[in-house]
Amino acid sequence: MPIKIPDQLPAREILVREGVSIMDERTARRQDIRPLQIGLLNLMPNKIRTETQFARLMGATPLQVELTLVRVGHHKSKNTSEDHLISFYQTWDEVKDRKFDGFIITGAPIELLPFEQVDYWKELEQILDWTTTNVHSSFFICWGAMAAAWHFHRVPKYTLEKKAFGVYRHGNNVPASPYLAGFSDDFAIPVSRWTEVRSADIPTESGLEILMESDVTGPGLLSELMGNRLYMFNHIEYDSTSLKEEYDRDVAAGVPIDVPHEYYPNNDPGRPPLNRWRSHAHLLFGNWINRVYQTTSFELGKVGVSKVQKLTA
């Protein structure tokens, strides 16, 4: 099944060119099925790029997905036009009475700030608490994952001496996990961050399980059964050229930056980079969507009820 996104969303043209199946509003209304309701809280500065990346991965799954774009209400974007935000986004205040089968919170380029100094931290804490009652399964990405791990389990983040930047091999720690069905024993994932979490800080009683881990960059993906949450500390959703654009930007600005690890052929920035993570990105999101479909309530209004019962028992 295709993904349903607004007809005029800029990502639509890109996805159509790539062959991703897109459903228009009229066709979606004719289908006698309940699409999965997925929300995307987009904290990245280039919102159009990020919308496209996540829509691409969800549009490749065999289930019908209806994507709702969400933004924090108490932060003004410097990199995306207000017209785009007004046309395609809703604030969390506008959606907080809704229920979602799945909800994604992206990364944000603010990882060096203490969480409490982020200007929308109080609102984000409210959103994270809201996911326990109004969302069946949450998927946190990069800084969003660190923020959620701190909020729910007080897992700290540490500043790195040098940016973890490039494509790193990760091991498959739990091959039997439904989220890793079909995964290789090891695989490449893009990493771009100045901070890290450490496996030694994950509370044993938290129910958090390390699904992916790198010998160099540490935990890559955690799952949490009780809260039905995934924490991805890296950017598996990245395009082929995302790391290149970050590298070129820093070089042009005179910012000291290493050539991204194992990204360019022969580590030569003059050559086109190779995408060695695309298949696993599609696999992870396909597994997540499939898991959401198998475990969510058919009646959307009942989403979150069983989670609240478990958490208050």
Side-chain angles (χ1 to χ4, degrees):
M1 288 288 181
I3 186 171
K4 179 177 176 285
I5 58 177
D7 292 344
Q8 304 304 316
L9 191 71
R12 184 185 190 87
E13 183 179 345
I14 298 171
L15 298 177
V16 168
R17 285 202 308 266
E18 294 178 358
V20 177
S21 186
I22 305 294
M23 176 173 289
D24 60 32
E25 308 260 355
R26 184 183 306 171
T27 304
R29 285 195 297 269
R30 286 204 309 264
Q31 294 216 332
D32 187 21
I33 96 179
R34 180 174 89 73
L36 291 177
Q37 298 294 323
I38 305 294
L40 174 66
L41 179 65
N42 191 351
L43 304 176
M44 292 292 278
N46 188 336
K47 296 201 176 338
I48 294 175
R49 178 75 172 270
T50 304
E51 296 154 15
T52 306
Q53 290 169 346
F54 284 103
R56 174 186 295 120
L57 295 172
M58 288 183 282
T61 63
L63 300 166
Q64 187 187 136
V65 172
E66 184 168 340
L67 182 63
T68 299
L69 299 174
V70 185
R71 61 188 175 100
V72 291
H74 300 97
H75 176 77
K76 187 171 180 61
S77 176
K78 299 176 182 178
N79 299 278
T80 304
S81 74
E82 193 67 19
D83 285 346
H84 182 84
L85 296 176
I86 291 172
S87 297
F88 301 113
Y89 278 77
Q90 298 178 63
T91 64
W92 174 66
D93 278 335
E94 292 171 328
V95 303
K96 66 183 180 182
D97 292 329
R98 289 179 54 185
K99 298 291 185 82
F100 289 88
D101 300 295
F103 200 81
I104 300 167
I105 298 181
T106 73
I110 50 175
E111 56 193 312
L112 292 176
L113 286 175
F115 293 121
E116 294 76 9
Q117 290 184 19
V118 174
D119 62 3
Y120 51 80
W121 178 247
K122 289 188 181 300
E123 182 176 0
L124 186 60
E125 285 192 303
Q126 292 179 317
I127 294 171
L128 290 168
D129 287 337
W130 166 86
T131 63
T132 66
T133 57
N134 286 56
V135 175
H136 176 65
S137 180
S138 300
F139 199 158
F140 309 116
I141 306 292
C142 202
W143 181 84
M146 293 185 184
W150 171 252
H151 177 75
F152 289 120
H153 301 289
R154 285 300 183 257
V155 176
K157 63 182 175 74
Y158 299 88
T159 301
L160 298 169
E161 292 183 5
K162 184 170 66 172
K163 185 178 184 180
F165 187 49
V167 181
Y168 292 85
R169 305 300 301 184
H170 285 65
N172 183 342
N173 286 359
V174 190
S177 167
Y179 300 112
L180 299 186
F183 267 69
S184 306
D185 293 336
D186 77 330
F187 37 85
I189 296 179
V191 180
S192 179
R193 48 181 165 81
W194 281 98
T195 54
E196 67 176 2
V197 297
R198 298 172 182 170
S199 56
D201 291 323
I202 297 172
T204 55
E205 72 281 1
S206 66
L208 293 169
E209 185 173 28
I210 303 175
L211 302 186
M212 302 178 183
E213 193 166 17
S214 166
D215 292 339
V216 180
T217 61
L221 178 68
L222 308 181
S223 67
E224 181 186 355
L225 179 62
M226 179 66 76
N228 206 11
R229 304 176 181 120
L230 285 178
Y231 304 75
M232 164 58 72
F233 297 110
N234 301 318
H235 283 290
I236 199 168
E237 82 284 359
Y238 264 9
D239 295 330
S240 300
T241 59
S242 295
L243 292 175
K244 170 179 167 51
E245 290 169 12
E246 292 180 18
Y247 175 71
D248 291 346
R249 176 200 64 201
D250 287 351
V251 169
V255 176
I257 186 71
D258 290 342
V259 174
H261 175 79
E262 294 297 320
Y263 177 55
Y264 294 105
N266 297 325
N267 291 321
D268 179 3
R271 300 178 63 180
L274 296 175
N275 188 319
R276 294 183 285 114
W277 61 90
R278 182 185 296 113
S279 58
H280 284 96
H282 281 281
L283 195 53
L284 178 61
F285 273 81
N287 287 343
W288 176 61
I289 293 291
N290 185 50
R291 184 69 175 168
V292 170
Y293 173 75
Q294 291 185 33
T295 58
T296 193
S297 173
F298 181 77
E299 296 181 42
L300 191 59
K302 293 184 178 180
V303 162
V305 174
S306 61
K307 287 172 66 178
V308 173
Q309 292 171 343
K310 289 178 183 178
L311 291 169
T312 58

